[in-house]
Amino acid sequence: MNKRILFILTSHDRKGDAPSGYYLSEVSHPYYILRDAGYQIDFASPKGGKTHVDGLDLSDPDNAAFWNDAALRAQTENTLAPADINADDYAAIYYAGGHATMWDLPHSPALDAIAARIYDNGGVVGAVCHGPAGLLNIRLANGRYLIENKQVAAFTNDEERAVGLYDTVPFLLADALQERGATHLPAANFQAQVVISERLVSGQNPASARGVARAMLSLLR
């Protein structure tokens, strides 16, 4: 059985005028769950190479362990580019969040093709918080959007208001998902929410990241 999972991190480094990048706990929390289950994790981004971090809370034990691991840091700072990736090598693909994803993940046809291939091969697609921005333009072999007629969780419009970025993001993720034919299922602000719809697993916010990883494992097994 294929035991590799591809983590997608944003290449972008801003949210409006403020620094941003991938949200650390949305990488570290799933990483340790999936690694400890025996999966090899590879890191990729739309541009490949260096990525940037947001949510650098080192009071979180998983964040601290990840951030202080020189080998892991090196992987996130030297990510694979889409051209380096053979989708057939992976059992699953996972899109980490961070506001920066909104500016680049919807605009990577090469990553879309990789995710579509993994799903069409019977694999699992996961995403959390703003990571579902990467799902918007994935078309499967049947020509339909991956998220069409599926239920999804993602960062909500109310959460964007609560963090003061409602007018900063280039679009509202929950609305865009619904425009693609998905049904967005919100929970209360900043509460964990994980939705499984066929082989698509999505989570609403950082509190959902571990749950997304566990749900992905349940499907992979």
Side-chain angles (χ1 to χ4, degrees):
M1 185 176 68
N2 195 325
K3 298 287 283 188
R4 292 174 72 182
I5 297 175
L6 188 64
F7 273 37
I8 304 301
L9 313 182
T10 177
S11 296
H12 197 63
D13 66 350
R14 311 294 291 176
K15 48 188 175 190
D17 295 329
S20 187
Y22 70 85
Y23 202 80
L24 182 56
S25 66
E26 294 171 17
V27 174
S28 69
H29 292 178
Y31 174 84
Y32 287 112
I33 288 170
L34 296 168
R35 185 207 65 178
D36 292 349
Y39 286 87
Q40 176 185 326
I41 310 298
D42 295 331
F43 296 90
S45 63
K47 294 181 178 178
K50 186 171 178 57
T51 62
H52 306 267
V53 71
D54 202 348
L56 188 61
D57 174 12
L58 299 185
S59 67
D60 177 303
D62 283 351
N63 281 355
F66 190 98
W67 194 248
N68 292 321
D69 185 319
L72 283 177
R73 285 275 295 279
Q75 287 185 69
T76 67
E77 292 171 357
N78 297 276
T79 58
L80 299 170
D84 302 324
I85 296 163
N86 179 357
D88 294 338
D89 291 340
Y90 294 94
I93 184 170
Y94 166 76
Y95 290 84
H99 272 89
T101 61
M102 299 281 283
W103 279 266
D104 68 344
L105 290 192
H107 310 296
S108 179
L111 285 180
D112 293 343
I114 290 164
R117 176 74 176 182
I118 290 170
Y119 195 86
D120 282 327
N121 283 347
V124 175
V125 175
V128 74
C129 197
H130 291 88
L135 307 177
L136 287 169
N137 294 311
I138 298 170
R139 283 189 185 270
L140 302 177
N142 62 13
R144 294 186 177 276
Y145 288 110
L146 168 68
I147 59 174
E148 185 178 343
N149 297 322
K150 291 190 176 69
Q151 296 178 326
V152 297
F155 208 66
T156 70
N157 294 353
D158 283 345
E159 286 173 323
E160 291 292 11
R161 290 188 185 94
V163 299
L165 292 169
Y166 186 90
D167 295 318
T168 299
V169 289
F171 59 91
L172 294 171
L173 181 53
D175 293 353
L177 291 164
Q178 294 194 125
E179 288 166 5
R180 278 282 186 260
T183 300
H184 178 243
L185 300 179
N189 286 2
F190 312 115
Q191 299 302 303
Q193 170 81 327
V194 176
V195 175
I196 302 172
S197 192
E198 297 180 10
R199 284 174 285 108
L200 174 65
V201 182
S202 51
Q204 180 168 317
N205 47 37
S208 311
R210 287 191 178 96
V212 168
R214 293 186 185 110
M216 290 176 68
L217 270 184
S218 73
L219 294 174
L220 288 164
R221 288 169 174 159

